[in-house]
Amino acid sequence: MTAHEPSAPSLRFGYGTNGLADLRLDDALGLLADLGYDGVGLTLDHMHLDPLAPDLAARTRHVARRLDELGLGVTVETGARYVLDPRRKHGPSLLDPDPDDRARRVDLLVRAVRVAADLGAHAVHCFSGTVPDHTDEDTAWKRLTEAFGPVLDAASAAGIPLAVEPEPGHLLATLADFHHLRRALGDPEPLGLTLDIGHCQCLEPLAPADCVREAAPWLRHVQIEDMRRGVHEHLPFGDGEIDFPPVLAALAATGYRGLTVVELPRHSHAGPRFAAHSLPYLRKAARLAAERTPGTSTVPSHGDPSATPEGSSTP
């Protein structure tokens, strides 16, 4: 295993297992440790710590030991496409008309909180879901706020932040929507934010670095990839429009201490290659950010020197 070297004084990079879906979980964790990642965004799915299969507690203990052996931090993510329903992507959601279906999603999130506590994770990621057909937005928001009650109770009891992600096309799609939910729930202490940097580029009115600064007080988890304005497509670094050094400088300045996790769920066919490319890219962007910020340490060079933040494409 390659010794871990710090990416920057306050930045810790991870890679999402939803971009390594063709690997066994033990193999994926070993790969990320060998590449020098600081942690992993662990999506609970049928191939990676299935949250619905028997002996979840025992399997979770095994993963906890593996993470400890490898020195990897972890965030638990709940964006598996078909873990609850083999026919509906991300279904059922917290917005479904059927209360029993909404309860299935709530149960998944409560299970995720328990898994996160047993793993020592720094947050549990989740999202709202899309508004069902023939459902008005007021009804959708009412369902969402009611569904979050037991999840927030579980998060509070476990001491695990819940990090809600604004997702393009969902009811909760923007930072403004996150604040709407926060106010509707009375600003509960466990409720935090997952900020996806690509989504900022895709649809937020602010530039990604400004989104980081605006989101700082509620930031509990960060996902990162490249993206283009107006197109919700997760792209390898260098294939989109984002200028990453200012984003990483803003993130470091917030004092955020969680993981910044690469999210390339549609690139599992070549996951190890994209994981190997992404870390040196981010480390170089972090060094450039540090060089532009007086008083901040630089980051040593790792990996392929051609993987630059100024527009190199992924292989």
Side-chain angles (χ1 to χ4, degrees):
M1 170 182 151
T2 303
H4 288 259
E5 298 183 42
S7 303
S10 62
L11 297 182
R12 300 168 61 229
F13 295 124
Y15 200 91
T17 59
N18 61 359
L20 296 168
D22 294 324
L23 276 65
R24 298 178 184 87
L25 182 55
D26 274 3
D27 292 340
L29 298 179
L31 169 74
L32 298 181
D34 286 345
L35 290 173
Y37 280 93
D38 303 296
V40 59
L42 174 57
T43 296
L44 303 181
D45 207 346
H46 62 87
M47 81 295 284
H48 291 155
L49 195 54
D50 187 340
L52 304 181
D55 301 319
L56 177 59
R59 290 183 289 112
T60 301
R61 287 193 294 272
H62 169 80
V63 174
R65 288 193 296 270
R66 181 75 167 144
L67 291 168
D68 186 60
E69 290 167 2
L70 297 172
L72 294 173
V74 61
T75 303
V76 171
E77 302 194 353
T78 61
R81 292 185 179 96
Y82 297 102
V83 69
L84 290 178
D85 189 324
R87 293 173 176 83
R88 288 190 293 163
K89 181 182 177 182
H90 297 316
S93 80
L94 298 174
L95 310 179
D96 268 35
D98 186 336
D100 290 338
D101 276 350
R102 295 199 298 275
R104 290 173 61 203
R105 177 62 62 172
V106 169
D107 176 70
L108 175 68
L109 296 180
V110 170
R111 286 171 181 252
V113 169
R114 289 199 290 263
V115 168
D118 289 345
L119 293 179
H122 74 80
V124 170
H125 149 277
C126 64
F127 48 73
S128 68
T130 60
V131 179
D133 292 339
H134 314 298
T135 300
D136 63 82
E137 283 205 1
D138 286 345
T139 299
W141 280 110
K142 183 173 184 292
R143 289 174 186 166
L144 185 64
T145 55
E146 289 176 352
F148 263 118
V151 184
L152 287 166
D153 288 345
S156 179
I160 299 291
L162 195 65
V164 183
E165 179 186 8
E167 180 79 23
H170 284 210
L171 174 68
L172 198 158
T174 65
L175 289 171
D177 293 331
F178 166 74
H179 291 302
H180 177 82
L181 176 67
R182 182 177 58 81
R183 290 190 296 269
L185 289 169
D187 198 16
E189 193 277 333
L191 183 66
L193 175 70
T194 292
L195 187 69
D196 186 303
I197 301 303
H199 294 174
C200 297
Q201 178 69 22
C202 177
L203 86 170
E204 292 286 352
L206 297 174
D210 291 329
C211 287
V212 170
R213 285 184 278 269
E214 197 276 337
W218 302 277
L219 204 55
R220 302 295 179 267
H221 182 44
V222 176
Q223 296 172 339
I224 194 165
E225 69 284 316
D226 219 337
M227 205 168 285
R228 300 187 184 100
R229 184 70 179 170
V231 182
H232 184 204
E233 181 182 5
H234 290 234
L235 299 173
F237 298 114
D239 287 2
E241 301 170 341
I242 299 175
D243 182 16
F244 284 97
V247 174
L248 297 182
L251 188 59
T254 69
Y256 171 70
R257 294 295 186 270
L259 292 172
T260 298
V261 172
V262 179
E263 191 182 26
L264 292 174
R266 296 187 179 180
H267 292 75
S268 280
H269 64 283
R273 180 157 55 93
F274 286 105
H277 169 267
S278 297
L279 187 58
Y281 187 100
L282 287 171
R283 281 178 164 159
K284 183 159 188 178
R287 288 197 302 276
L288 290 174
E291 289 165 6
R292 298 174 189 176
T293 307
T296 304
S297 301
T298 58
V299 185
S301 178
H302 294 272
D304 179 3
S306 69
T308 66
E310 291 93 348
S312 91
S313 308
T314 357

